Amino acid sequence: QCAARIPEAGAVLDLLEKCPEHQKKGDFPVVVFEGLDATGKTTVTQSVKNTLNGILLRSPPACISQWRTIFDDEPAPIKRAFYAAGNYILASEIAKASTQAPVIIDRYWHSTAAYTIATEINGKVQDLPPVSDEVYQWPEDLLKPDLVLLLTVDPEERIQRHRRRGLEKTKEEAELEANSLFRQRVEESYRRMVNPACQEVDASPSKEEVLQTVLELIKKHCAL
């Protein structure tokens, strides 16, 4: 149905069908960085990639990211399906890359889940599904990372960073800025994710300090 109206949806589904089921990770560690826009993910992921001679991947993966703006304008279920499919396509790339070098990922499943939950549930943090709800569980059929790091900064600092970067706001970024309740729901959803849970990292200090903290966590949790 969707492919008939959005030709790009057909291309996404074709790529998804080519992905083997139950991807297996290679011997190198897989580290995911999560967080709201302007928390420093781009800078940190690039620095970690360079330090570890790793491979940097992003969600949605490069092979479908050119269609992101098309799906961002679609109704929520179609938009979320695009991002979910992107995670499974990305899993194929992770499986291959992790046989060659450490893999650093800028967003993965937790982002898709956190934004979906925060969008579907109105109101305050207390209105989110209970902590034990299965919406916070990692999908059984999706390749799991070794470590997930959630970068956080003070809300005012994050907005200032975003303005300094001079980037055009995404719909979600505009919503985050205008609606503090939405931002709180996204961040709390991240914190409730399990199996694997997010390890929170304060990204307010200097780039060098944040990089040092991140590298120590990777060393502690991953076999390097």
Side-chain angles (χ1 to χ4, degrees), residues 32-220:
V32 177
F33 286 83
E34 294 283 6
L36 306 179
D37 284 355
T39 49
K41 287 191 309 303
T42 302
T43 303
V44 174
T45 51
Q46 191 63 51
S47 299
V48 173
K49 177 224 174 210
N50 294 341
T51 306
L52 300 182
N53 292 319
I55 296 168
L56 178 57
L57 299 173
R58 289 187 174 86
S59 181
C63 59
I64 64 168
S65 61
Q66 71 268 30
W67 302 319
R68 187 174 182 171
T69 51
I70 294 168
F71 287 93
D72 277 350
D73 285 334
E74 290 295 325
I78 294 174
K79 178 181 174 181
R80 294 303 161 204
F82 168 75
Y83 284 99
N87 286 313
Y88 283 87
I89 295 168
L90 180 62
S92 271
E93 298 181 7
I94 297 167
K96 184 178 177 183
S98 61
T99 63
Q100 302 162 2
V103 182
I104 313 304
I105 307 167
D106 186 340
R107 288 192 168 172
Y108 194 20
W109 177 265
H110 283 350
S111 280
T112 308
Y115 278 92
T116 300
I117 294 162
T119 303
E120 294 292 321
I121 306 296
N122 289 317
K124 299 179 180 178
V125 164
Q126 298 94 289
D127 299 314
L128 289 171
V131 175
S132 58
D133 197 289
E134 62 181 20
V135 295
Y136 304 115
Q137 289 276 350
W138 189 270
E140 287 183 9
D141 59 347
L142 184 64
L143 185 147
K144 235 185 246 186
D146 295 289
L147 180 63
V148 182
L149 298 175
L150 174 64
L151 302 184
T152 60
V153 296
D154 175 78
E156 280 303 313
E157 165 68 10
R158 198 185 62 77
I159 290 168
Q160 290 303 321
R161 286 185 184 188
H162 206 278
R163 285 177 182 154
R164 285 198 295 271
R165 281 161 55 184
L167 297 180
E168 188 180 337
K169 289 192 191 82
T170 61
K171 283 184 177 179
E172 278 169 349
E173 181 55 36
E175 175 76 0
L176 286 169
E177 193 169 320
N179 187 339
S180 64
L181 285 178
F182 179 65
R183 187 191 71 245
Q184 289 166 24
R185 292 198 303 271
V186 173
E187 288 199 317
E188 181 59 26
S189 296
Y190 270 131
R191 292 184 177 114
R192 293 185 183 189
M193 300 292 167
V194 292
N195 194 28
C198 296
Q199 301 259 351
E200 205 163 326
V201 175
D202 179 10
S204 303
S206 69
K207 295 173 189 174
E208 294 75 18
E209 288 176 272
V210 175
L211 177 61
Q212 192 58 42
T213 300
V214 161
L215 291 173
E216 284 171 7
L217 282 167
I218 293 172
K219 188 177 177 182
K220 180 182 174 184

